């Protein structure tokens, strides 16, 4: 008798399961067809870092103080700068990021005293070449058009 | 058979293929070193035999041959091979005391048997088929005959099978949890 | 009359299967190999019976039933034989016929 | 030339054979190798061989500053990264006697519990996948996505959050997050019923889990097993209740525990824990105060000399971080006492005599994360 | 009488054989697509979408990929048997499908009186093929899988044959087309609903369906390729088209099983509502069953091995014996009065 009851309740549980999946079958899909559709990145998305621009002068805010270099747990930042004539602070001439080692922890941004670096929203960074071994952020900064 | 001009030759070809399968299967079954291949040989031989049964106007037996021999007997044998002989025989094992002599002796005996029986069957003047047949030999007729004329052997066979199953269980069950 | 309508063809084939089966029984060293050879001899017998019932017997059912019985017996035989082989393997760790000579003592 | 009898009368190696489960195997979910000695399909000995993904997380702590070690903590058990960071941050805060603002504590609790749910969802889905049911893991991922979206909006990352800092959290949550949490709790409760009907009540699953993989409380004690494994053996031990940290004593929740000690009990513990986490989130979202999110933290961190421990309840059990300081700005030693390592170590004893599929189910019920074992 | 007329039967035979092969090939390829699409829908994702509209060319791309891969024979494997095994899976399935009556006229050139036995005879070769493939791979997982396949198939052959005997008692013929013809033009005439001959007929159908799932090694009984336990079981060492043929053979066997269920229980090409009997009804029923198979696969976890055997020996075989006896009693009941 117990066996019969077990068979019946077992069958019922199977049928319930099948009903549930069938109901899911007719619901619309919820996935995003990635290369064709993309989602907006949230505000705090952590991409690789980039140099920020001073909205007034249009120059990089970075003063090459090298705090980010020291804060980085993975030693992937290399900064160099010179002191230009007639300016109070140094300005950055060389900012290399070894992105293959970067873990996007954000320690550099937190360490920066002048808020000169920020996260980008780039994420499609897989590549078959060694492109990101040595990202020249200064060059990238120069290539980018100034935002009006 | 539906007759179309080349159908006889087609049938002959199929027949020869079945004969070849039977012969080749039998030879593989006794001559290979690896036991698993000789089971395959048996399976091929049985498929060929099934085809011959078809030519002997018994499709039912042809299918039963496949069902029982290929589907049951061969599978059981392979299963036993898996259980009982997990490894290929080492070369050392294959060395026999008198390799050539043993082969010659066995071959001679087998050839003698073959010659005798084949000679007998070729020399006998075979009668023509009986003019009228008792029934049509269909599955229906087999079923009726099994339960009327041959009911006693049928019951005996079932008994033998039952005893075989029980015996197999009893023998194989012993020592199940020994290892 | 084509080849497949002659009883002799089937009978010679049956004789061949029988001979091969005997050869295998003599040559094989393992129990399973012997079992397979035995199956070949069964096959020879089935083929003979079927030939006779096809070409000579007035009752086409009898032969088929005999062959069915042979198949049943073969299945039973295989079941028993294999269980014995497995039991032997458990005791002797081998299915070589030679190893079993210990049974004598 | 007759071969000697012993050569064919098999050796013991004929009886059993060795089966390497892994390092690449669908059921180990990572690079764990278990060396199985099998007798047919029965396991006579199962020897876990960890170390294939050893990344020296403890050693790395010794050559970077206190703050630089923070990203490492999310990478040990990548499925419940929050609780790991919490333990490390907690240890350092205990050493420095830092005050954490109340709002930051609430945020920590909410994000930790969300993280626990997402971890249990993955664990549940992977467990059912080990048992051959592929669909549930995708339903679980659907729900997990909602959590990840919430957390990503706050922390900027979906897996290795690195969100807590000494003395608080790095960024404040907004009302959208809190509303999202409320909506998620509302969404998740019927989903749990759905999971129960689809998977938990399924007769096939019950037959596979009930009475399989028995682990007694005594065995747990011997091996130091913790978390759902321990609670599945009828020990209601939960760090959040028994040695309360953060502000967990302000919330009303139960410790689910089951007396059977089998795989089903561990499964049920996890499912019930999701419900309890939802309860905690519900209360925390309702009670969260306004205020700062960072306490006063010295610019350069130097811990006083000594050993400092902090235990949290990670999704897989009790996680203890012990930091030793010799007064410099880098740790002298960071020690992680991770739950999966202890949970795995009882596998060898408990899986003796099991069938292979049962062992796989048992391993799934331990819910192992391999980097957590190897560190 | 034209020149070609005597050849017509041969041409018809040829067309039928080519048609069967094409049917199997197309189905095996597109059942993979159906499975992937179905799995996708059950999991609320669209499934293959990239190759062709709705991913319709995906099987083609898969086939191309598999064909371009090398068939690796692992060292130590029995190369002959290793290569032979995939062929042994697909060939019997073709033979089985050749016996199925797709419609009243679209059936095997020789109307086989024992079509049912033929299906079972050739269906039984499948076990041996998977077993040989597993054994020949010389892989521990594959050998475990091969051993499982045998005990599973032996266990489920018994209730399946008992159920088929029940059907045979009800219909009294082994000719598949006659079995279909006996089932009338309305759905209550199907064998499935012939409760006056055997009150447990729907249960019989369920048993048959479960056995069919087990015989074709489908989830939740996919012991042979339990991927979380045995990696890919007997197919672990197969690469490229060797694996592809095994895969096709599996789907061809599902097709055989579902066709047989359609013929034996669901009235084959008979219309359920008395209108337009024909091949389309057959396919409708067939693919409904195939869909159910996919549906079951993506709903349940895998059974445990002893659970599987217990289900067969402790539940299915007793119940099928009961239905067998019940059918006999009901059929002979009129003799009592």
């Amino acid at each position: 008798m117990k066996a019969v009851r077990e068979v019946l309740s077992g069958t019922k549980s199977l049928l319930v399961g099948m009903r549930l999946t069938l109901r899911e079958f007719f619901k619309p899909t919820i996935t995003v067809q990635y290369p064709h559709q993309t989602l907006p990145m949230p505000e705090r998305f952590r991409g690789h870092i980039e140099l920020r621009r001073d909205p007034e002068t249009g120059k990089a805010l970075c003063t090459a103080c090298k705090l980010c270099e020291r804060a980085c747990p993975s030693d992937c930042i290399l900064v160099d700068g010179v002191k230009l004539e007639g300016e109070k602070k140094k300005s950055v001439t060389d900012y290399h990021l070894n992105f293959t080692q970067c873990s996007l922890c954000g320690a550099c941004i937190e360490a920066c005293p002048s808020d000169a670096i920020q996260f980008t929203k780039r994420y499609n960074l897989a590549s078959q070449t060694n492109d990101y071994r040595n990202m020249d952020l200064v060059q990238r900064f120069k290539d980018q058009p100034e935002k009006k | 058979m539906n007759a179309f001009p080349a159908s006889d030759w087609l049938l002959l070809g199929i027949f020869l293929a079945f004969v070849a399968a039977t012969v080749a299967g039998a030879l593989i079954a006794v001559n290979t070193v690896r036991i698993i291949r000789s089971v395959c040989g048996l399976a091929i031989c049985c498929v060929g035999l099934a085809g011959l049964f078809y030519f002997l106007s018994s499709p039912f037996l042809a299918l039963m041959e496949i069902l029982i021999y290929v589907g049951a007997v061969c599978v059981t044998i392979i299963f036993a091979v898996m259980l009982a002989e997990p490894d290929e025989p080492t070369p050392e094992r294959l060395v026999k005391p008198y390799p050539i002599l043993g082969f010659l002796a066995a071959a001679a005996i087998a050839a003698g048997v073959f010659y005798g029986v084949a000679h007998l069957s070729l020399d006998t003047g075979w009668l023509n088929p009986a003019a009228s047949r008792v029934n049509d030999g269909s599955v229906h007729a087999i079923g009726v005959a099994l339960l009327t004329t041959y009911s006693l052997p049928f019951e005996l066979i079932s008994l033998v099978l039952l005893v075989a199953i029980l015996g197999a269980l009893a023998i194989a069950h012993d020592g199940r949890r020994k290892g | 009359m084509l080849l497949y309508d002659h009883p002799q063809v089937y009978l010679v084939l049956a004789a061949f299967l029988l001979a091969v089966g005997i050869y295998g029984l003599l040559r094989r060293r393992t129990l399973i190999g012997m079992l397979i050879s035995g199956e070949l001899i069964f096959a020879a017998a089935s083929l003979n019976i079927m030939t006779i019932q096809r070409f000579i017997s007035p009752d086409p059912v009898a032969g088929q039933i005999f062959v069915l019985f042979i198949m049943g017996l073969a299945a039973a035989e295989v079941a028993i034989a294999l269980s014995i082989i497995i039991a032997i393997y458990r005791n002797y760790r081998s299915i070589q016929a030679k190893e079993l000579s210990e049974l004598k003592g | 030339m007759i071969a000697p009898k012993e050569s064919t009368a098999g050796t013991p190696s004929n009886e059993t054979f060795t089966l390497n489960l892994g390092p690449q195997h669908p059921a180990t979910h990572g690079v764990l190798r278990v060396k199985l000695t099998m007798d047919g399909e029965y396991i006579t000995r199962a020897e876990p061989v960890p170390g294939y993904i050893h990344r020296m997380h403890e050693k790395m702590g010794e050559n970077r500053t206190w703050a630089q070690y923070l990203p490492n903590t999310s990478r040990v058990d990548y499925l419940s990264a929050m609780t790991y960071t919490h333990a490390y941050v907690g240890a350092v805060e205990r050493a420095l006697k830092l005050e954490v603002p109340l709002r930051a504590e609430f945020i920590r609790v909410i994000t930790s519990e969300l993280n626990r749910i997402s971890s249990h969802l993955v664990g549940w889905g992977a467990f059912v996948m080990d048992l051959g049911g592929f669909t549930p893991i995708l339903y679980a991922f659907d729900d997990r996505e909602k959590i990840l979206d919430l957390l990503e909006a706050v922390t900027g990352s979906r897996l290795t959050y690195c969100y807590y800092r000494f003395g608080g959290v790095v960024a404040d949550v907004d009302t959208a997050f809190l509303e999202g949490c409320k909506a998620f709790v509302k969404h998740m409760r019927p989903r749990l019923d759905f999971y129960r009907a689809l998977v938990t009540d399924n007769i096939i699953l019950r037959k596979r889990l009930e009475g399989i993989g028995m682990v007694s409380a005594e065995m747990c004690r011997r091996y130091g097993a913790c978390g759902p494994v321990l609670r599945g053996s009828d020990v209601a031990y939960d760090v959040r209740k028994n040695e309360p940290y953060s502000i967990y004593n302000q919330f009303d929740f139960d410790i689910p525990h089951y007396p059977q000690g089998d795989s089903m009990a561990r499964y049920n513990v996890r499912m019930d824990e999701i419900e309890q986490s939802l309860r905690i989130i519900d209360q925390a979202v309702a009670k969260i105060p306004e205020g700062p999110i960072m306490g006063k933290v010295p610019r350069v961190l130097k811990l006083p000399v000594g050993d400092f421990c902090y235990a949290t309840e990670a999704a897989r059990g009790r996680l203890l971080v012990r930091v030793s300081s010799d007064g410099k700005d880098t740790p002298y030693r960071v020690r992680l006492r991770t739950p999966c390592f202890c949970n795995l170590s009882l596998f060898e004893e408990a899986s003796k005599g099991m069938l292979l599929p049962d062992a796989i189910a048992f391993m799934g019920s331990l819910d192992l994360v391999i980097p957590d074992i190897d560190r | 009488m034209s020149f070609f007329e005597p050849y017509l039967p041969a041409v018809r035979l040829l067309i039928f054989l080519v048609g069967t092969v094409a049917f199997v090939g197309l189905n095996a390829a597109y059942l993979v697509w159906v499975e992937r699409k179905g799995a996708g829908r059950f999991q609320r994702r669209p499934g293959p979408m990239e190759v062709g509209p709705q991913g319709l060319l995906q099987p083609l791309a898969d086939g191309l990929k598999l064909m371009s891969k090398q068939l690796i024979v692992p060292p130590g494997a029995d190369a002959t048997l290793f290569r032979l095994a995939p062929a042994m899976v697909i060939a019997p399935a073709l033979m089985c499908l050749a016996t199925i009556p797709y419609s009243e006229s679209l059936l095997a050139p020789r109307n086989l009186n024992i079509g049912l036995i033929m299906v079972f005879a050739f269906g039984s070769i499948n076990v041996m093929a998977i077993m040989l493939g597993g054994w020949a791979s010389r892989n521990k997982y594959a050998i475990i899988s091969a051993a499982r396949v045998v005990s599973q198939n032996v266990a489920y052959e018994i209730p399946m044959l008992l159920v088929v005997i029940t059907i045979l008692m009800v219909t009294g013929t082994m000719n598949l087309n006659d079995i279909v013809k006996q089932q009338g033009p309305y759905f209550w005439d199907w064998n499935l609903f012939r409760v006056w001959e055997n009150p447990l007929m729907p249960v019989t159908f369920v048993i048959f369906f479960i056995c069919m799932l087990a015989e074709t090694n489908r989830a939740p009984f996919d012991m042979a390729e339990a991927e979380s336990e045995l990696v890919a079981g007997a197919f672990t060492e197969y690469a490229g088209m060797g694996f592809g043929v095994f895969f096709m053979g599996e789907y061809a066997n599902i097709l055989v099983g579902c066709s047989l269920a359609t013929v034996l229980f669901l009235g084959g090409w008979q219309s359920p509502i008395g209108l337009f009997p024909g091949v389309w009804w057959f396919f409708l029923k067939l693919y409904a069953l195939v869909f159910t198979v996919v549906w079951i696969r993506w709903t349940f976890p895998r059974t445990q091995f002893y659970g599987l055997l217990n289900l067969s020996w402790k539940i299915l075989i007793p119940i099928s014996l009961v239905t067998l006896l019940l059918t006999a009693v009901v059929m002979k009941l009129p003799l009592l009065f």
Side-chain angles (χ1 to χ4, degrees):
Chain A
M1 202 58 231
K2 194 170 155 248
V4 172
R5 207 178 310 133
E6 196 185 310
V7 168
L8 289 181
S9 70
T11 318
K12 190 182 156 237
S13 79
L14 296 181
L15 291 177
V16 167
M18 285 181 71
R19 202 194 63 202
L20 289 174
T21 42
L22 189 68
R23 212 184 288 158
E24 297 292 310
F25 186 85
F26 293 108
K27 285 186 188 167
T29 57
I30 47 175
T31 48
V32 174
Q33 288 303 97
Y34 163 58
H36 310 299
Q37 303 165 355
T38 47
L39 291 172
M41 288 294 108
E43 195 50 44
R44 289 180 191 161
F45 179 78
R46 308 211 292 250
H48 68 77
I49 50 169
E50 65 179 356
L51 296 173
R52 277 184 73 199
R53 200 177 287 277
D54 188 339
E56 285 155 26
T57 59
K59 283 186 182 157
L61 281 167
C62 179
T63 57
C65 64
K66 300 202 179 193
L67 274 179
C68 48
E69 207 178 295
R70 257 196 289 156
C72 180
S74 330
D75 284 340
C76 53
I77 299 175
L78 252 180
V79 193
D80 217 347
V82 289
K83 190 157 184 174
L84 290 177
E85 306 258 331
E87 286 194 17
K88 268 187 278 173
K89 288 173 179 168
K90 283 207 285 188
S91 55
V92 67
T93 54
D94 193 20
Y95 200 112
H96 280 285
L97 171 68
N98 185 351
F99 192 54
T100 54
Q101 284 181 15
C102 176
S103 58
L104 300 170
C105 65
C108 44
I109 295 182
E110 278 169 55
C112 188
S114 44
D115 276 346
I117 38 182
Q118 65 182 14
F119 288 121
T120 54
K121 302 231 180 319
R122 291 177 70 201
Y123 55 90
N124 253 332
L125 296 178
S127 126
Q128 292 185 333
T129 55
N130 231 344
D131 294 350
Y132 303 113
R133 202 180 160 73
N134 211 354
M135 285 169 90
D136 191 346
L137 293 187
V138 175
Q139 192 61 43
R140 183 184 150 80
F141 179 79
K142 282 180 189 153
D143 292 345
Q144 262 180 355
E146 206 169 321
K147 272 191 206 122
K148 296 290 171 199
Chain B
M1 298 270 150
N2 295 322
F4 55 90
S7 66
D8 280 348
W9 296 105
L10 197 66
L11 278 179
L12 184 64
I14 295 173
F15 177 73
L16 286 178
F18 282 132
V19 170
T22 314
V23 171
L27 288 176
I28 293 172
V30 293
N31 277 320
T32 48
V33 177
R34 290 184 175 175
I35 210 82
I36 198 104
R37 288 197 177 184
S38 82
V39 184
C40 288
L42 182 62
I44 295 170
C45 179
C46 289
V47 171
L49 208 60
L52 294 182
F53 285 174
Y54 186 81
F55 274 94
L56 290 169
S57 63
S58 179
F60 173 65
L61 270 192
L63 293 177
M64 286 316 262
E65 176 88 15
I66 291 179
L67 185 65
I68 293 177
Y69 272 92
V70 183
V73 170
C74 287
V75 167
T76 320
I77 294 178
I78 299 184
F79 200 47
V81 172
M82 283 181 178
L83 288 180
E85 199 173 74
D87 283 308
E88 302 295 331
T90 51
E92 184 189 29
R93 279 197 206 174
L94 296 176
V95 178
K96 288 161 192 155
Y98 305 103
I100 312 281
L101 208 65
F103 169 75
L104 283 182
I109 293 171
V113 169
F114 177 64
Y115 178 77
V117 179
H119 200 262
L120 199 66
S121 49
L122 285 175
D123 279 1
T124 313
W126 295 103
L127 301 170
N128 285 329
S132 66
R133 312 207 107 195
V134 180
N135 55 48
D136 59 348
S138 66
V139 184
H140 185 249
I142 295 175
V144 170
L146 261 184
L147 292 178
T148 53
T149 324
Y150 301 97
S151 57
L152 186 64
F154 182 67
E155 293 299 327
L156 281 179
I157 281 281
S158 348
L159 207 62
V160 166
L161 272 171
L162 185 69
V163 170
I165 293 169
L166 292 181
L169 279 178
I171 294 170
H173 189 263
D174 183 39
R176 157 104 195 170
R177 286 279 79 205
K178 216 160 52 181
Chain C
M1 276 222 329
L2 279 158
L3 203 55
Y4 48 83
D5 280 337
H6 292 284
Q8 283 90 343
V9 181
Y10 298 98
L11 292 174
V12 169
L13 209 58
F16 174 77
L17 284 179
L18 174 67
V20 168
I22 289 173
Y23 170 79
L25 270 183
L26 293 173
R27 288 291 294 163
R28 279 286 178 191
R29 283 288 181 275
T30 64
L31 294 176
I32 292 180
M34 291 175 171
L35 186 68
I36 291 170
S37 309
E39 291 300 324
L40 286 178
I41 295 176
F42 272 123
S46 314
L47 189 57
N48 244 341
I49 292 174
M50 286 300 290
T51 316
I52 302 295
Q53 76 93 25
R54 161 78 168 77
F55 292 103
I56 293 139
S57 153
D59 183 1
V61 158
Q64 297 194 37
I65 286 179
F66 274 113
V67 175
L68 272 181
F69 284 166
I70 288 180
M71 286 177 186
L73 280 178
E77 174 230 342
V78 163
I80 282 287
L82 288 177
S83 58
I84 291 176
I85 287 170
I86 289 173
I88 287 173
Y89 180 77
R90 285 217 180 97
N91 285 324
Y92 290 85
R93 295 279 140 220
S94 163
I95 52 166
Q96 301 281 313
K98 193 173 59 192
E99 307 283 335
L100 305 181
S101 52
E102 280 175 36
L103 280 176
K104 275 185 290 190
Chain D
M1 218 179 99
I2 297 168
K5 213 152 249 147
E6 284 74 20
S7 73
T8 47
T11 49
S13 69
N14 248 353
E15 290 274 340
T16 57
F17 62 96
T18 309
L19 187 71
N20 267 316
L21 197 75
Q24 306 292 336
H25 187 279
T28 56
H29 302 295
V31 275
L32 173 68
R33 173 172 165 226
V34 184
K35 203 172 141 198
L36 299 173
T37 310
M38 311 268 296
D39 177 15
E41 281 215 39
Y42 288 93
I43 293 171
T44 52
R45 184 156 187 242
E47 184 190 343
V49 189
Y52 284 84
I53 191 167
H54 183 56
R55 292 172 303 171
M56 303 167 286
H57 275 302
E58 290 180 358
K59 195 76 186 163
M60 275 157 96
E62 296 170 19
N63 56 25
R64 48 191 59 190
T65 63
W66 296 100
Q68 278 179 345
Y69 189 64
L70 272 174
N72 282 55
T73 54
S74 354
R75 285 164 173 82
V76 179
D77 178 352
Y78 46 82
L79 288 178
S80 66
M82 289 286 187
T83 42
Y84 279 64
T85 323
H86 199 159
Y88 175 65
V89 163
V92 173
E93 280 162 0
R94 194 167 278 175
L96 291 171
K97 301 198 174 56
L98 288 180
E99 270 302 309
V100 183
L102 202 55
R103 184 175 174 84
E105 292 283 24
F106 267 91
I107 294 173
R108 282 182 184 180
V109 166
I110 295 173
T111 47
S112 282
E113 295 306 317
L114 280 176
N115 200 199
R116 186 188 315 280
I117 296 174
S118 84
S119 167
H120 279 332
L121 283 175
V122 178
W124 174 75
F127 184 20
V128 181
M129 197 163 76
D130 279 349
L131 303 175
F134 190 77
T135 305
I137 194 173
L138 288 157
Y139 294 158
F141 265 70
D142 174 20
D143 292 331
R144 180 173 176 264
E145 273 313 281
K146 297 194 166 61
I147 299 176
L148 295 191
D149 284 346
L150 285 173
L151 290 180
E152 193 188 15
V154 175
T155 68
S157 176
R158 292 175 83 81
L159 200 62
T160 51
Y161 307 103
C162 188
Y163 178 54
Y164 304 161
R165 293 291 182 276
F166 309 126
V169 293
V170 70
D172 201 359
V173 299
D174 47 9
T175 46
F177 173 79
L178 296 177
E179 288 304 313
C181 286
K182 273 184 209 158
F184 175 75
V185 171
K186 207 181 258 174
H187 160 85
M188 196 60 208
R189 289 216 164 106
R191 288 294 280 188
L192 284 175
D193 296 336
F194 172 75
Y195 292 160
R196 190 165 303 125
L198 177 64
V199 179
T200 315
D201 287 344
N202 189 304
I203 182 82
I204 300 176
L205 187 101
R206 300 193 82 92
K207 285 268 171 206
R208 282 204 65 175
L209 297 186
E210 278 171 0
I212 304 295
M214 301 302 285
V215 174
S216 63
E218 183 265 336
M219 196 194 282
C220 286
R221 220 161 270 144
R222 261 191 293 128
Y223 285 100
C226 47
V229 179
L230 183 64
R231 292 194 280 275
S233 308
D234 208 17
V235 182
Y237 181 87
D238 188 313
V239 183
R240 291 174 293 177
K241 276 271 191 214
N242 294 62
E243 23 183 325
Y245 60 96
S246 190
I247 48 162
Y248 274 107
N249 49 13
Q250 296 190 13
F251 299 109
D252 176 30
F253 63 99
D254 304 325
I255 306 170
H257 59 101
Y258 284 79
Q260 294 91 347
D262 54 5
S263 297
M264 195 71 202
R266 292 187 280 277
Y267 173 96
N268 280 330
V269 166
R270 288 204 182 84
M271 296 310 273
D272 291 358
E273 268 183 25
I274 296 182
E275 216 162 301
Q276 298 305 323
S277 291
L278 289 176
R279 269 177 76 188
I280 296 176
I281 294 170
D282 231 4
Q283 298 167 42
V285 169
K287 286 201 289 194
I288 187 167
E290 289 297 325
I293 52 157
M294 274 298 264
K296 286 202 173 61
V297 186
R299 187 85 198 163
V300 179
L301 281 177
K302 280 215 171 84
L303 264 67
V305 180
D307 276 1
F308 306 97
C309 295
Y310 198 86
T312 56
E313 182 71 21
R316 277 155 196 78
R318 181 171 188 267
L319 168 79
L320 182 112
V321 171
R322 172 179 165 186
V323 292
S324 301
S325 165
D326 54 357
K328 298 214 183 76
D329 58 349
T330 57
Y332 176 72
R333 174 90 165 92
V334 179
R335 162 89 179 116
L336 306 169
R337 184 259 182 226
T338 53
C340 283
F341 188 79
C342 305
N343 291 352
L344 174 72
S345 52
L346 57 75
F347 184 76
E348 180 166 355
E349 184 180 327
S351 67
K352 200 158 278 175
M354 247 185 214
L355 279 164
L356 176 63
D358 285 343
I360 301 272
F362 175 46
M363 204 198 286
S365 78
L366 294 178
D367 192 13
L368 301 172
V369 166
I370 312 304
D372 190 45
I373 298 165
D374 281 353
R375 302 199 284 282
Chain E
M1 181 164 160
S2 83
F3 174 74
F4 291 107
E5 208 166 323
Y7 289 97
L8 278 181
V11 171
R12 183 160 174 266
L13 182 79
L14 207 65
I15 292 176
F16 183 81
L17 290 180
V18 170
T20 307
V21 172
F23 178 68
V24 171
L26 215 71
N27 263 297
Y30 273 89
L31 283 187
V32 179
W33 180 83
V34 167
E35 171 119 55
R36 291 175 66 175
K37 268 300 197 204
R41 294 296 315 193
F42 282 121
Q43 297 158 0
R44 306 198 53 192
R45 57 193 175 84
M49 287 293 273
E50 291 300 314
V51 194
Q54 290 294 312
L56 267 173
L57 298 179
Q58 188 69 44
L60 213 69
D62 285 350
L64 271 176
K65 183 202 77 176
L66 285 175
M67 269 183 245
S68 64
K69 284 172 112 171
Q70 188 187 2
L71 178 57
I72 299 163
V73 181
D78 193 328
T80 322
L81 294 182
F82 187 78
R83 294 209 175 89
L84 187 71
M88 273 178 70
V89 173
I90 194 111
L94 287 174
M95 293 293 285
C96 292
L97 276 176
T99 60
I100 303 290
Y102 297 100
S103 80
E104 191 161 11
S105 54
L106 193 66
L107 66 154
R110 228 180 137 188
N111 194 359
L112 278 170
N113 275 325
I114 46 172
L116 200 53
I117 294 189
M118 182 154 169
V119 172
F120 280 97
F122 285 102
S124 67
I125 296 180
N126 184 31
V127 192
M128 200 168 154
I130 298 182
M131 204 156 113
L132 280 181
W135 172 264
S137 309
R138 308 285 297 158
N139 177 308
K140 284 165 189 165
Y141 291 117
I143 290 175
I144 294 177
S145 149
R148 285 181 173 191
V149 167
V150 180
S151 19
Q152 177 180 345
N153 277 270
V154 167
Y156 278 85
E157 198 105 340
I158 298 166
M160 193 162 190
L161 285 174
L162 286 175
V163 163
V164 169
I165 290 172
T166 314
I167 288 291
L168 282 185
M169 282 166 71
V170 171
T171 58
T173 172
M174 283 195 266
N175 183 327
L176 290 177
N177 202 27
D178 285 352
I179 291 178
V180 176
K181 273 186 195 156
Q182 273 187 11
Q183 308 178 40
Y186 295 99
F187 66 86
W188 52 84
D189 296 326
W190 293 353
N191 277 341
L192 175 59
F193 299 110
R194 279 168 116 168
V195 280
W196 53 92
E197 311 239 21
N198 172 1
L200 286 177
M201 212 53 158
V203 178
T204 312
F205 173 69
V206 171
I207 294 177
F208 183 86
F209 196 74
I210 293 173
C211 293
M212 192 269 287
L213 285 179
E215 292 268 309
T216 51
N217 298 319
R218 274 299 285 195
F221 307 109
D222 51 347
M223 289 297 129
E225 46 189 312
E227 78 279 343
S228 58
E229 297 152 20
L230 301 180
V231 189
F235 317 139
T236 307
E237 295 288 349
Y238 281 90
M241 216 46 206
F243 180 76
V245 171
F246 262 125
F247 218 64
M248 276 172 74
E250 187 185 316
Y251 283 102
N253 279 323
I254 292 168
L255 216 58
V256 173
C258 289
S259 305
L260 205 59
T262 312
V263 166
L264 292 184
F265 288 95
L266 302 180
W269 41 263
Q270 297 271 21
S271 156
I273 45 170
L275 292 171
F276 315 116
V279 68
W280 36 86
W281 288 115
F282 181 86
F283 283 123
L284 199 69
K285 293 166 188 171
L286 172 64
Y287 290 124
L289 284 181
V290 169
F291 175 77
T292 314
V293 170
V294 171
W295 178 13
I296 286 174
R297 168 159 183 191
W298 297 107
T299 303
F300 298 134
R302 184 179 307 117
T303 52
Q304 163 59 292
F305 195 72
Y306 47 75
L308 177 94
L309 294 182
N310 281 347
L311 176 67
S312 171
W313 293 102
K314 291 189 183 161
I315 297 178
L316 295 186
I317 291 180
I319 295 181
S320 52
L321 277 174
V322 166
T323 59
L324 187 66
L325 287 177
L326 207 63
T327 317
V329 168
V330 173
M331 283 178 77
K332 293 297 172 195
L333 215 53
L335 292 183
L336 291 178
F337 302 109

